[in-house]
Amino acid sequence: MRFILSLIMVLALSIQTSAAEEKVSTYTDEQEKCSGEEDAFLRSLEEELANCKIQMADAPSTADMNEAYYKFGDCSIAVANKLFDRNYKKYNAEVKKNFDTLVKAYYACAHDMYEDSDFASIRGGTMYNTMAVTSATFWIRDMVKEYLHLARIECDDKAGFDSLEIE
């Protein structure tokens, strides 16, 4: 009997959840979306970030790997700076300073994680450094993706608000 009651409750909750999700998706479909020059700008940055690639020769040394990953990180940072210059004009210097601090923290934390454990510090080796650089650059790229995602949401919101007649 308990099983049947539990099953009925689960079904009822899933029906309510589906109805709520349908309302949300209907609302989202009806909203105006980012368009025009702002949309083109964001698309260009999204494409530029997607084109940030790790390129190295066959059988690279750890120095070659480090250089390739640093270039990958620098490419992601360049995309972020373009976004900051256009969408963060009022607080540009502060936003860039905070982002630079975050980038330094990513590198520092990655080196702590990979090189400063008791095992790694005893063993040593350049591969630990390369693994740290690799992780940090992917964290940077992911943060830039998050900035672009939020810029897209803000642009969508702006499009919706611009269509309202607010007096």
Side-chain angles (χ1 to χ4, degrees), residues 13-158:
L13 284 173
S14 64
I15 290 170
Q16 286 177 333
T17 302
S18 295
E21 287 174 0
E22 188 175 310
K23 286 181 184 176
V24 169
S25 64
T26 302
Y27 172 73
T28 306
D29 291 341
E30 293 172 2
Q31 283 180 310
E32 290 189 34
K33 296 294 179 188
C34 183
S35 62
E37 186 180 327
E38 291 177 56
D39 177 63
F41 174 70
L42 292 175
R43 282 185 195 282
S44 72
L45 291 183
E46 291 162 349
E47 288 174 21
E48 189 174 336
L49 185 63
N51 288 327
C52 291
K53 303 285 185 201
I54 300 152
Q55 300 172 357
M56 61 183 92
D58 293 338
S61 67
T62 53
D64 294 334
M65 290 182 217
N66 290 347
E67 182 181 347
Y69 282 106
Y70 279 124
K71 285 181 180 178
F72 174 68
D74 290 346
C75 181
S76 300
I77 292 166
V79 171
N81 282 320
K82 289 176 185 177
L83 178 67
F84 299 154
D85 288 342
R86 172 134 174 195
N87 287 33
Y88 293 82
K89 291 177 186 168
K90 186 173 182 181
Y91 297 104
N92 187 278
E94 183 178 348
V95 169
K96 283 185 173 183
K97 179 182 171 220
N98 290 338
F99 185 75
D100 288 345
T101 301
L102 180 62
V103 167
K104 289 175 187 170
Y106 279 155
Y107 280 114
C109 285
H111 285 288
D112 289 347
M113 289 170 56
Y114 285 97
E115 296 179 285
D116 294 341
S117 72
D118 293 339
F119 177 78
S121 62
I122 291 170
R123 246 185 99 116
T126 57
M127 201 59 204
Y128 288 110
N129 178 66
T130 300
M131 292 181 336
V133 172
T134 301
S135 287
T137 59
F138 279 102
W139 295 341
I140 292 164
R141 192 259 340 254
D142 289 346
M143 182 55 64
V144 176
K145 280 184 177 180
E146 184 66 18
Y147 270 102
L148 289 170
H149 174 73
L150 292 173
R152 172 76 52 201
I153 290 170
E154 290 170 357
C155 189
D156 289 348
D157 282 349
K158 181 184 178 299

